[in-house]
Amino acid sequence: WGLPNDAVVLACFNTLIKLRPTILRRWVNILRRAPNSVIWLLRAPKVAEEKVVKWWRENAPDLTQRLIFTDGAPKEEHIRRSGLADLFLDT
């Protein structure tokens, strides 16, 4: 899934359309306070992903490499991979 083995994985598999700058700013603050962490997001829809990446590059360019996207998966696989997250973030 492209996740680093030694990082704390903070996941949010909600639709990216829900992500607003307020939420993204909070997540940036979390990453800054937890230097060994990454944010793992479900990729979709494409236009929303592009907006999130654009915002991230403009507001937290030093943390861009800690933003990880994953494709959708069949239900059983999705549930199984969810176990890789250390903590789920809500919107």
Side-chain angles (χ1 to χ4, degrees), residues 79-91:
I79 291 169
R80 197 170 41 252
R81 73 176 171 191
S82 295
L84 299 173
D86 294 298
L87 180 69
F88 276 88
L89 304 173
D90 200 356
T91 54

Side-chain angles (χ1 to χ4, degrees), residues 1-80:
W1 300 108
L3 300 170
N5 291 330
D6 60 345
V8 175
V9 177
L10 309 172
C12 180
F13 290 159
N14 292 337
T15 179
L16 296 177
I17 292 172
K18 292 183 173 185
L19 300 183
R20 301 286 184 250
T22 303
I23 296 295
L24 297 174
R25 279 193 295 275
R26 287 180 184 148
W27 291 357
V28 165
N29 287 334
I30 291 169
L31 289 182
R32 291 198 194 289
R33 293 175 185 198
N36 193 36
S37 61
V38 297
I39 302 276
W40 189 25
L41 302 173
L42 186 60
R43 171 177 281 133
K46 184 174 175 69
V47 67
E49 178 182 347
E50 290 168 352
K51 286 181 179 183
V52 168
V53 170
K54 181 179 185 292
W55 184 94
W56 207 270
R57 286 184 179 145
E58 292 172 354
N59 295 278
D62 56 314
L63 300 175
T64 303
Q65 75 282 1
R66 293 170 58 192
L67 187 63
I68 300 170
F69 289 91
T70 191
D71 292 322
K75 183 179 179 180
E76 291 171 6
E77 185 177 350
H78 178 69
I79 291 169
R80 197 170 41 252

